[in-house]
Coordinates of all heavy atoms in Angstrom, one line a residue:
M1 N 121.5 149.2 79.0 CA 120.8 148.7 80.3 C 121.0 147.2 80.4 O 120.7 146.5 79.4 CB 119.4 149.1 80.2 CG 118.6 148.7 81.4 SD 116.9 149.2 81.3 CE 116.5 149.5 83.0
P2 N 121.4 146.7 81.5 CA 121.6 145.2 81.6 C 120.3 144.5 81.6 O 119.2 145.1 81.8 CB 122.2 145.1 83.0 CG 122.0 146.4 83.7 CD 121.8 147.4 82.7
N3 N 120.3 143.2 81.3 CA 119.1 142.4 81.3 C 118.5 142.4 82.6 O 119.2 142.2 83.6 CB 119.4 141.0 80.8 CG 119.8 141.0 79.3 OD1 119.5 142.0 78.6 ND2 120.4 140.0 78.9
R4 N 117.2 142.4 82.7 CA 116.4 142.4 83.9 C 116.0 140.9 84.2 O 115.6 140.2 83.2 CB 115.2 143.3 83.9 CG 115.6 144.8 83.8 CD 114.4 145.7 83.6 NE 113.3 145.4 84.5 CZ 113.2 145.9 85.8 NH1 114.1 146.7 86.2 NH2 112.2 145.6 86.5
T5 N 116.0 140.5 85.4 CA 115.5 139.2 85.8 C 113.9 139.3 85.9 O 113.4 140.3 86.5 CB 116.0 138.8 87.1 OG1 117.4 138.8 87.1 CG2 115.6 137.4 87.5
E6 N 113.2 138.4 85.2 CA 111.8 138.5 85.2 C 111.2 137.3 86.1 O 111.8 136.2 86.2 CB 111.2 138.3 83.8 CG 111.7 139.4 82.9 CD 111.1 140.8 83.2 OE1 109.9 140.8 83.8 OE2 111.7 141.8 82.9
L7 N 110.0 137.5 86.6 CA 109.4 136.4 87.4 C 109.1 135.2 86.6 O 109.1 134.1 87.1 CB 108.1 137.0 88.1 CG 107.4 136.1 89.0 CD1 108.3 135.7 90.2 CD2 106.1 136.8 89.6
S8 N 108.9 135.4 85.3 CA 108.5 134.3 84.4 C 109.7 133.3 84.2 O 109.5 132.2 83.7 CB 108.1 134.9 83.0 OG 109.1 135.6 82.4
E9 N 110.9 133.7 84.6 CA 112.1 132.8 84.5 C 112.0 131.7 85.6 O 112.8 130.8 85.5 CB 113.4 133.6 84.6 CG 113.5 134.6 83.5 CD 114.8 135.5 83.7 OE1 115.6 135.2 84.6 OE2 114.8 136.5 83.1
F10 N 111.2 131.9 86.6 CA 111.1 131.0 87.7 C 109.9 130.1 87.7 O 108.8 130.6 87.3 CB 111.1 131.8 89.0 CG 112.4 132.6 89.3 CD1 112.4 133.9 88.9 CD2 113.5 132.0 89.8 CE1 113.5 134.7 89.1 CE2 114.6 132.8 90.0 CZ 114.7 134.1 89.6
T11 N 110.0 128.9 88.2 CA 108.8 128.1 88.5 C 108.9 127.6 89.9 O 110.0 127.3 90.4 CB 108.7 126.8 87.6 OG1 110.0 126.1 87.7 CG2 108.5 127.2 86.1
F12 N 107.8 127.7 90.6 CA 107.7 127.4 92.0 C 106.8 126.2 92.2 O 105.7 126.1 91.7 CB 107.1 128.6 92.8 CG 107.8 129.8 92.7 CD1 107.7 130.7 91.6 CD2 108.8 130.2 93.7 CE1 108.3 131.9 91.6 CE2 109.5 131.4 93.6 CZ 109.3 132.2 92.5
K13 N 107.3 125.2 93.0 CA 106.6 124.0 93.4 C 106.6 123.9 94.9 O 107.7 123.9 95.5 CB 107.2 122.7 92.7 CG 106.6 122.4 91.4 CD 106.9 121.0 91.1 CE 106.1 120.6 89.9 NZ 106.5 119.4 89.3
F14 N 105.4 123.7 95.5 CA 105.3 123.5 96.9 C 106.0 122.1 97.2 O 105.7 121.1 96.5 CB 103.9 123.5 97.3 CG 103.7 123.4 98.8 CD1 104.0 124.4 99.7 CD2 103.2 122.2 99.4 CE1 103.9 124.3 101.0 CE2 103.1 122.1 100.7 CZ 103.4 123.1 101.6
S15 N 106.9 122.1 98.2 CA 107.7 120.9 98.5 C 107.6 120.5 99.9 O 108.5 119.9 100.5 CB 109.1 121.2 98.1 OG 110.0 120.2 98.4
G16 N 106.5 120.8 100.6 CA 106.3 120.5 102.0 C 106.1 121.7 102.8 O 106.2 122.9 102.3
Y17 N 105.8 121.6 104.0 CA 105.5 122.7 104.9 C 106.6 123.7 104.9 O 107.7 123.4 105.4 CB 105.2 122.2 106.3 CG 104.8 123.3 107.2 CD1 103.5 123.9 107.2 CD2 105.7 123.8 108.2 CE1 103.2 124.9 108.0 CE2 105.3 124.8 109.0 CZ 104.1 125.4 108.9 OH 103.7 126.4 109.8
G18 N 106.4 124.9 104.4 CA 107.4 126.0 104.4 C 108.6 125.8 103.5 O 109.6 126.5 103.6
H19 N 108.5 124.9 102.5 CA 109.5 124.7 101.5 C 109.0 124.8 100.1 O 107.9 124.3 99.8 CB 110.2 123.3 101.7 CG 110.9 123.2 103.0 ND1 110.3 122.9 104.2 CD2 112.2 123.2 103.3 CE1 111.2 122.8 105.1 NE2 112.4 123.0 104.6
Y20 N 109.8 125.4 99.2 CA 109.5 125.5 97.8 C 110.7 125.0 97.0 O 111.8 125.3 97.3 CB 109.1 126.9 97.4 CG 107.7 127.3 97.7 CD1 107.3 127.8 98.9 CD2 106.8 127.1 96.7 CE1 106.0 128.1 99.1 CE2 105.4 127.4 96.9 CZ 105.1 128.0 98.1 OH 103.8 128.3 98.3
K21 N 110.4 124.2 96.0 CA 111.4 123.9 95.0 C 111.3 124.9 93.9 O 110.3 125.0 93.2 CB 111.1 122.5 94.5 CG 112.1 122.0 93.4 CD 111.8 120.6 93.0 CE 112.8 120.1 92.0 NZ 112.5 118.7 91.5
I22 N 112.4 125.6 93.6 CA 112.4 126.7 92.7 C 113.3 126.3 91.5 O 114.5 125.9 91.7 CB 112.9 128.0 93.3 CG1 112.0 128.3 94.5 CG2 112.9 129.1 92.3 CD1 112.5 129.4 95.4
T23 N 112.9 126.5 90.3 CA 113.7 126.3 89.1 C 113.8 127.6 88.4 O 112.8 128.3 88.1 CB 113.0 125.2 88.2 OG1 112.7 124.0 88.9 CG2 113.8 124.9 87.0
H24 N 115.1 127.9 88.1 CA 115.3 129.1 87.3 C 115.9 128.7 86.0 O 116.8 128.0 85.9 CB 116.4 130.0 88.0 CG 116.8 131.2 87.2 ND1 118.0 131.2 86.5 CD2 116.2 132.4 86.9 CE1 118.1 132.3 85.8 NE2 117.0 133.1 86.1
K25 N 115.2 129.2 84.9 CA 115.6 128.9 83.6 C 116.2 130.2 82.9 O 115.5 131.1 82.8 CB 114.5 128.3 82.7 CG 114.9 127.9 81.3 CD 113.9 127.2 80.6 CE 114.4 126.7 79.2 NZ 113.4 126.0 78.5
S26 N 117.4 130.1 82.5 CA 118.1 131.3 81.9 C 117.5 131.5 80.5 O 117.5 130.6 79.7 CB 119.6 131.0 81.8 OG 120.2 132.1 81.0
P27 N 117.0 132.7 80.3 CA 116.4 133.0 78.9 C 117.5 133.0 77.8 O 117.2 132.8 76.7 CB 115.8 134.4 79.1 CG 116.5 135.0 80.3 CD 116.9 133.9 81.1
K28 N 118.7 133.3 78.2 CA 119.8 133.4 77.2 C 120.4 132.1 76.8 O 120.6 131.8 75.7 CB 120.9 134.3 77.8 CG 121.8 134.9 76.8 CD 122.7 136.0 77.5 CE 123.3 136.9 76.4 NZ 124.1 138.0 77.0
T29 N 120.7 131.2 77.8 CA 121.3 129.9 77.5 C 120.4 128.8 77.6 O 120.7 127.7 77.1 CB 122.5 129.7 78.5 OG1 121.9 129.6 79.9 CG2 123.5 130.8 78.5
G30 N 119.3 128.9 78.3 CA 118.3 127.8 78.4 C 118.7 126.8 79.6 O 118.0 125.9 79.8
K31 N 119.8 127.1 80.3 CA 120.2 126.2 81.4 C 119.2 126.4 82.6 O 118.7 127.5 82.8 CB 121.6 126.6 81.9 CG 122.6 126.2 80.9 CD 124.0 126.5 81.4 CE 125.1 126.1 80.4 NZ 126.4 126.4 81.0
E32 N 119.0 125.3 83.3 CA 118.1 125.4 84.5 C 118.9 125.1 85.8 O 119.8 124.3 85.8 CB 117.0 124.3 84.4 CG 116.0 124.6 83.3 CD 114.9 123.6 83.3 OE1 114.9 122.6 84.1 OE2 113.9 123.9 82.5
S33 N 118.6 125.9 86.8 CA 119.2 125.8 88.1 C 118.0 125.5 89.1 O 117.0 126.1 89.0 CB 119.9 127.0 88.5 OG 120.9 127.4 87.6
V34 N 118.2 124.5 89.9 CA 117.2 124.1 90.8 C 117.6 124.2 92.3 O 118.8 123.9 92.6 CB 116.7 122.6 90.6 CG1 115.7 122.2 91.5 CG2 116.3 122.4 89.1
C35 N 116.8 124.6 93.2 CA 117.1 124.7 94.6 C 115.8 124.5 95.4 O 114.7 124.6 94.9 CB 117.7 126.0 95.0 SG 116.6 127.4 94.8
V36 N 116.0 124.2 96.7 CA 114.9 124.1 97.6 C 115.2 125.1 98.7 O 116.3 125.1 99.2 CB 114.7 122.7 98.2 CG1 113.6 122.6 99.2 CG2 114.5 121.6 97.1
T37 N 114.2 125.9 99.0 CA 114.4 127.0 100.0 C 113.2 127.0 101.0 O 112.1 126.7 100.6 CB 114.6 128.3 99.4 OG1 114.9 129.3 100.4 CG2 113.4 128.8 98.6
S38 N 113.5 127.4 102.2 CA 112.5 127.6 103.2 C 112.4 129.1 103.5 O 111.8 129.5 104.5 CB 112.8 126.8 104.4 OG 114.0 127.2 105.0
N39 N 113.0 130.0 102.7 CA 113.0 131.4 103.0 C 111.7 132.0 102.5 O 111.6 132.5 101.4 CB 114.2 132.0 102.2 CG 114.4 133.5 102.5 OD1 113.5 134.1 103.1 ND2 115.5 134.0 102.2
M40 N 110.7 131.9 103.4 CA 109.4 132.3 103.0 C 109.3 133.9 102.8 O 108.4 134.3 102.1 CB 108.3 131.9 104.1 CG 108.2 130.4 104.0 SD 107.8 129.7 102.4 CE 106.2 130.3 102.1
T41 N 110.1 134.6 103.5 CA 110.1 136.1 103.3 C 110.4 136.4 101.8 O 109.8 137.2 101.2 CB 111.2 136.7 104.2 OG1 110.9 136.3 105.5 CG2 111.1 138.2 104.1
L42 N 111.4 135.7 101.2 CA 111.8 135.9 99.8 C 110.7 135.3 98.9 O 110.4 135.9 97.9 CB 113.1 135.2 99.6 CG 113.8 135.4 98.2 CD1 114.0 136.9 98.0 CD2 115.1 134.7 98.1
I43 N 110.1 134.2 99.2 CA 109.0 133.7 98.4 C 107.8 134.6 98.4 O 107.3 134.9 97.3 CB 108.5 132.3 99.0 CG1 109.7 131.3 98.9 CG2 107.3 131.8 98.2 CD1 110.1 130.9 97.5
D44 N 107.5 135.2 99.5 CA 106.4 136.2 99.6 C 106.7 137.4 98.8 O 105.9 138.0 98.1 CB 106.1 136.6 101.0 CG 105.4 135.5 101.8 OD1 104.8 134.6 101.1 OD2 105.5 135.5 103.0
A45 N 108.0 137.8 98.8 CA 108.4 139.0 98.1 C 108.5 138.8 96.5 O 108.5 139.8 95.8 CB 109.8 139.5 98.6
T46 N 108.5 137.6 96.1 CA 108.6 137.3 94.7 C 107.4 136.6 94.1 O 106.6 137.2 93.4 CB 109.9 136.4 94.4 OG1 109.8 135.2 95.2 CG2 111.1 137.2 94.6
K47 N 107.1 135.4 94.5 CA 106.0 134.6 94.0 C 104.7 135.2 94.3 O 103.8 135.3 93.5 CB 106.1 133.2 94.5 CG 104.9 132.3 94.1 CD 105.0 131.0 94.7 CE 103.9 130.1 94.3 NZ 102.6 130.3 95.0
N48 N 104.5 135.7 95.6 CA 103.2 136.2 96.0 C 103.0 137.7 95.9 O 102.1 138.2 96.5 CB 103.0 135.8 97.5 CG 103.0 134.3 97.7 OD1 102.6 133.5 96.8 ND2 103.5 133.8 98.8
S49 N 103.9 138.3 95.1 CA 103.8 139.7 94.9 C 103.4 140.1 93.5 O 103.8 139.4 92.5 CB 105.2 140.3 95.2 OG 105.2 141.7 94.9
E50 N 102.6 141.1 93.3 CA 102.2 141.5 92.0 C 103.3 142.2 91.2 O 103.5 142.0 90.0 CB 101.0 142.5 92.1 CG 99.7 141.8 92.5 CD 98.6 142.8 92.5 OE1 98.7 143.9 91.8 OE2 97.6 142.5 93.2
N51 N 104.1 143.0 91.9 CA 105.3 143.6 91.3 C 106.5 143.4 92.1 O 106.9 144.2 93.0 CB 105.0 145.1 91.2 CG 103.9 145.5 90.3 OD1 103.8 144.9 89.2 ND2 103.0 146.4 90.7
P52 N 107.2 142.2 91.9 CA 108.4 141.9 92.7 C 109.5 142.9 92.4 O 109.7 143.3 91.3 CB 108.7 140.5 92.3 CG 108.1 140.3 91.0 CD 106.9 141.2 91.0
K53 N 110.3 143.2 93.4 CA 111.4 144.1 93.3 C 112.6 143.3 92.6 O 112.7 142.1 92.7 CB 111.9 144.6 94.6 CG 110.9 145.5 95.3 CD 111.5 145.9 96.6 CE 110.5 146.7 97.4 NZ 110.9 147.1 98.7
Q54 N 113.3 144.0 91.8 CA 114.4 143.5 91.0 C 115.5 142.9 92.0 O 116.0 141.8 91.7 CB 115.1 144.5 90.2 CG 116.1 144.0 89.2 CD 115.5 143.1 88.1 OE1 114.4 143.4 87.6 NE2 116.1 142.0 87.9
K55 N 115.7 143.5 93.1 CA 116.7 143.0 94.1 C 116.3 141.7 94.7 O 117.1 140.8 94.9 CB 116.9 144.1 95.2 CG 116.6 143.7 96.6 CD 116.7 144.8 97.5 CE 115.6 144.8 98.4 NZ 115.7 144.2 99.7
D56 N 115.0 141.5 94.9 CA 114.5 140.2 95.4 C 114.6 139.1 94.3 O 115.0 137.9 94.6 CB 113.0 140.3 95.8 CG 112.8 141.2 97.0 OD1 113.8 141.3 97.9 OD2 111.8 141.8 97.1
L57 N 114.3 139.4 93.1 CA 114.5 138.4 92.0 C 115.9 138.0 91.8 O 116.2 136.9 91.6 CB 113.9 139.0 90.7 CG 112.4 139.2 90.6 CD1 112.0 139.9 89.4 CD2 111.7 137.9 90.7
N58 N 116.8 139.0 91.9 CA 118.2 138.7 91.8 C 118.7 137.8 92.9 O 119.6 136.9 92.7 CB 119.1 140.0 91.7 CG 118.9 140.7 90.3 OD1 118.5 140.0 89.4 ND2 119.1 142.0 90.3
Q59 N 118.2 138.1 94.1 CA 118.6 137.3 95.3 C 118.1 135.8 95.1 O 118.9 134.9 95.4 CB 118.1 137.9 96.6 CG 118.5 137.1 97.8 CD 117.9 137.8 99.1 OE1 117.2 138.8 99.0 NE2 118.2 137.2 100.2
L60 N 116.9 135.7 94.6 CA 116.4 134.3 94.4 C 117.2 133.6 93.3 O 117.5 132.4 93.4 CB 114.9 134.4 94.0 CG 114.1 133.1 93.9 CD1 114.1 132.4 95.2 CD2 112.7 133.4 93.4
K61 N 117.6 134.3 92.3 CA 118.4 133.7 91.2 C 119.8 133.3 91.8 O 120.3 132.2 91.5 CB 118.6 134.7 90.1 CG 119.4 134.2 88.9 CD 119.3 135.0 87.7 CE 120.0 136.3 87.8 NZ 120.1 137.0 86.5
R62 N 120.4 134.1 92.7 CA 121.7 133.7 93.3 C 121.5 132.5 94.1 O 122.4 131.6 94.1 CB 122.2 134.9 94.1 CG 123.1 135.8 93.4 CD 123.8 136.7 94.4 NE 122.9 137.4 95.3 CZ 122.3 138.6 95.1 NH1 122.6 139.2 94.0 NH2 121.5 139.1 95.9
I63 N 120.4 132.3 94.9 CA 120.2 131.2 95.7 C 120.1 129.9 94.8 O 120.7 128.9 95.2 CB 118.9 131.3 96.6 CG1 119.2 132.3 97.7 CG2 118.5 130.0 97.2 CD1 117.9 132.7 98.4
C64 N 119.4 130.0 93.7 CA 119.3 128.9 92.8 C 120.6 128.5 92.1 O 120.8 127.3 91.9 CB 118.2 129.1 91.8 SG 116.6 129.1 92.4
K65 N 121.4 129.4 91.8 CA 122.7 129.2 91.1 C 123.8 128.7 91.9 O 124.8 128.2 91.4 CB 123.1 130.4 90.3 CG 122.2 130.7 89.1 CD 122.8 131.7 88.2 CE 122.0 131.7 86.9 NZ 122.7 132.5 85.9
R66 N 123.7 128.8 93.2 CA 124.9 128.3 94.1 C 124.8 126.9 94.3 O 124.0 126.1 94.0 CB 125.0 129.1 95.4 CG 123.8 128.8 96.3 CD 124.0 129.5 97.6 NE 122.8 129.6 98.2 CZ 122.5 129.0 99.4 NH1 123.4 128.4 100.0 NH2 121.3 129.1 99.9

């Protein structure tokens, strides 16, 4: 089974009205990727959810890594 992306790999910082600065830290390599997003639908589906879906976590990781 491939490794699952966990919510604990992300840190969220409020960065202004409707914007969040998101840091993703890879558990395997320790590298950090940083992005700023205003996609509140994705933020609500991950940060503000008790059980975020794997597809939403992977999409957030892709946004941070590009």
Side-chain angles (χ1 to χ4, degrees):
M1 179 181 214
N3 292 340
R4 296 175 47 88
T5 305
E6 299 290 333
L7 186 59
S8 61
E9 298 174 16
F10 298 95
T11 54
F12 298 86
K13 267 196 171 169
F14 184 71
S15 177
Y17 182 75
H19 292 81
Y20 275 88
K21 180 178 181 181
I22 304 167
T23 304
H24 173 260
K25 184 172 183 178
S26 172
K28 202 170 198 176
T29 63
K31 290 183 181 179
E32 291 187 354
S33 304
V34 179
C35 68
V36 176
T37 185
S38 61
N39 187 344
M40 291 308 291
T41 306
L42 188 57
I43 297 296
D44 288 338
T46 53
K47 177 183 181 281
N48 300 329
S49 174
E50 289 182 21
N51 295 318
K53 294 179 182 174
Q54 189 66 42
K55 123 185 134 99
D56 294 329
L57 291 171
N58 288 338
Q59 183 179 0
L60 188 61
K61 182 167 66 171
R62 266 192 310 268
I63 288 173
C64 285
K65 287 193 170 190
R66 68 177 159 116

